[in-house]
Amino acid sequence: MVRKYSRRRAAKYINQNQLLPNHYTAKSLKQLEEAVRLVPKFSWHRYSKKQLDNFVEEVKTR
């Protein structure tokens, strides 16, 4: 079974690495859903770990 992250837990997961310059919150992830390919796939407003890792990699390279 694939682990799912709510917006709040996803923000904590992204911030724990401290590799990105911005600090993300649940509200900022909600705004990014439309702007970035960080669209929840598995259930309502839940992200997979692979989606979050891809997001971190994409933002890191910019």
Side-chain angles (χ1 to χ4, degrees):
M1 187 172 152
V2 177
R3 180 150 189 198
K4 302 172 191 174
Y5 292 84
S6 65
R7 283 190 187 126
R8 185 170 179 235
R9 288 183 56 99
K12 283 184 178 181
Y13 178 78
I14 291 171
N15 293 330
Q16 78 182 359
N17 297 329
Q18 297 179 351
L19 298 171
L20 304 179
N22 296 337
H23 181 79
Y24 291 92
T25 62
K27 187 176 182 179
S28 62
L29 286 180
K30 183 178 180 181
Q31 293 169 348
L32 283 173
E33 279 180 10
E34 299 168 2
V36 184
R37 286 174 277 157
L38 191 66
V39 180
K41 289 183 181 177
F42 294 100
S43 65
W44 191 249
H45 301 305
R46 301 271 176 182
Y47 306 101
S48 70
K49 187 173 188 226
K50 185 176 180 182
Q51 282 178 299
L52 298 175
D53 291 339
N54 288 342
F55 173 74
V56 170
E57 289 301 317
E58 284 187 24
V59 173
K60 235 194 316 189
T61 57
R62 293 181 187 181

